[in-house]
């Protein structure tokens, strides 16, 4: 956990993610990433100068048919309030809409539910557990499926909901999260799309690239995090100046 805390602290300070007086809703699905984020933020809260509150928020997409006892006990041990919002998202996405590519709609509905809960609980920030692997995967998904260079940001303001979204694990690598999640009550996902998604395919592609081109993931990360390494716009400007 100490290694996760180190990179999380770096992200918080680099991107100014947390300020005194914040009330932060932490999205917890029950997966390894969100459990590690919740524990890391609780530890950071104890041993830091920042004075902020955290509340764990779970969006139950299965209409109350999921067992969250492990998550409840985990939050109780951490002395963190847990709020569970029951929804029928799974039924809408898979049974009513019968979506062929369900991930996008599901994510959009879950984000809407999270924003509503944040407002209900008077939280000014929402913390999600996306890490560096997610940042890289999103970059390639945008490139291959949307034709643009884009990825998730460490912090963004959602004006419609008046909530600031933060990603404290932005600079944290997945293997550190896996190590920190040992002995945590990880809730196994029941989503049928988990093993057959574009995101999973891209993640596997990046893993193959790392095997074939050593340190490629490190270079991709550097390219994303270091704006000074971009030269695409410079090429465009040079072309304009020559005309």
């Amino acid at each position: 956990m100490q290694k996760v805390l180190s990179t999380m602290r770096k992200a918080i300070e680099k991107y100014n993610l947390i300020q005194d007086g914040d009330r932060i809703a932490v999205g917890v699905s029950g997966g390894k990433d969100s459990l590690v984020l919740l524990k890391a933020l609780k530890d950071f809260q104890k041993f830091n100068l920042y004075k902020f509150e955290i509340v764990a928020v779970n969006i139950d997409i299965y209409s109350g048919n999921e067992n969250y006892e492990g998550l409840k006990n985990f939050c109780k041990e951490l002395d963190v309030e847990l709020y569970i919002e029951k929804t029928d998202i799974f039924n809408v996405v898979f049974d009513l809409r019968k979506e062929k590519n369900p991930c996008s709609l599901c994510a959009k509905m879950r984000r809407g539910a999270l924003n509503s809960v944040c407002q209900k609980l008077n939280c000014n920030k929402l913390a999600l557990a996306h890490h560096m692997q997610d940042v890289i995967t999103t970059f390639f998904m945008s490139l291959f499926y949307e034709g643009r260079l884009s990825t998730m940001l460490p912090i963004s303001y959602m004006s419609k909901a008046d909530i600031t979204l933060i990603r404290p694990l932005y600079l944290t690598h997945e293997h550190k999260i896996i190590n920190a999640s040992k002995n945590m009550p990880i809730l196994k996902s029941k989503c049928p799309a988990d093993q057959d998604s574009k995101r999973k395919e891209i993640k596997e592609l990046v893993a193959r690239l790392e095997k074939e081109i050593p340190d490629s993931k490190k270079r991709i990360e550097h390219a994303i995090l270091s704006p000074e390494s971009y030269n695409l716009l410079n090429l465009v400007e040079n072309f304009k100046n020559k005309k």
Side-chain angles (χ1 to χ4, degrees), residues 1 7 29 59-60 66 77 86 97 106-107 111 115 131 134 137 140 145 159 162 180 192 203 213 235:
M1 182 59 73
T7 52
S29 64
I59 303 301
D60 177 8
E66 182 63 274
E77 290 174 7
K86 295 179 182 179
R97 295 280 294 269
C106 183
R111 183 66 57 81
N115 289 345
H131 47 72
D134 296 316
T137 301
F140 279 107
Y145 297 113
S159 57
D162 190 27
K203 187 174 180 180
I213 308 174
L235 289 173

Side-chain angles (χ1 to χ4, degrees), residues 97-111:
R97 295 280 294 269
K98 301 184 186 301
E99 291 285 323
K100 292 182 179 179
N101 298 301
C103 297
S104 178
L105 178 59
C106 183
K108 184 176 181 179
M109 294 180 71
R110 283 187 286 113
R111 183 66 57 81

Side-chain angles (χ1 to χ4, degrees), residues 68-94:
Y68 290 111
E69 286 307 309
L71 178 58
K72 291 177 181 177
N73 292 332
F74 184 71
C75 290
K76 187 175 182 181
E77 290 174 7
L78 293 179
D79 191 25
V80 173
E81 176 190 355
L82 171 63
Y83 183 92
I84 298 178
E85 178 80 350
K86 295 179 182 179
T87 74
D88 59 353
I89 292 175
F90 185 89
N91 180 54
V92 171
V93 173
F94 289 95

Side-chain angles (χ1 to χ4, degrees), residues 66-215:
E66 182 63 274
N67 183 357
Y68 290 111
E69 286 307 309
L71 178 58
K72 291 177 181 177
N73 292 332
F74 184 71
C75 290
K76 187 175 182 181
E77 290 174 7
L78 293 179
D79 191 25
V80 173
E81 176 190 355
L82 171 63
Y83 183 92
I84 298 178
E85 178 80 350
K86 295 179 182 179
T87 74
D88 59 353
I89 292 175
F90 185 89
N91 180 54
V92 171
V93 173
F94 289 95
D95 298 330
L96 298 180
R97 295 280 294 269
K98 301 184 186 301
E99 291 285 323
K100 292 182 179 179
N101 298 301
C103 297
S104 178
L105 178 59
C106 183
K108 184 176 181 179
M109 294 180 71
R110 283 187 286 113
R111 183 66 57 81
L114 277 170
N115 289 345
S116 295
V117 172
C118 285
Q119 293 170 333
K120 188 186 303 183
L121 299 179
N122 295 316
C123 294
N124 66 311
K125 288 183 178 176
L126 169 62
L128 298 182
H130 297 122
H131 47 72
M132 179 49 62
Q133 179 67 54
D134 296 316
V135 175
I136 292 174
T137 301
T138 301
F139 174 80
F140 279 107
M141 289 187 71
S142 295
L143 177 62
F144 293 150
Y145 297 113
E146 300 175 357
R148 64 193 183 103
L149 298 176
S150 178
T151 190
M152 54 183 61
L153 300 174
I155 182 170
S156 57
Y157 177 65
M158 298 178 287
S159 57
K160 288 185 179 180
D162 190 27
I163 295 166
T164 298
L165 171 64
I166 61 173
R167 295 183 169 97
L169 299 181
Y170 196 81
L171 301 178
T172 304
H173 292 96
E174 188 174 28
H175 70 272
K176 294 180 181 179
I177 294 172
I178 292 173
N179 290 335
S181 68
K182 292 177 181 177
N183 302 318
M184 288 186 177
I186 298 172
L187 185 64
K188 187 176 177 59
S189 173
K190 298 190 300 186
C191 178
D194 264 4
Q195 300 304 315
D196 185 26
S197 67
K198 297 299 182 184
R199 183 167 289 275
K200 182 173 181 291
E201 290 175 8
I202 294 297
K203 187 174 180 180
E204 291 172 349
L205 172 62
V206 174
R208 290 199 301 272
L209 282 174
E210 181 70 5
K211 287 183 179 180
E212 296 177 13
I213 308 174
D215 293 329

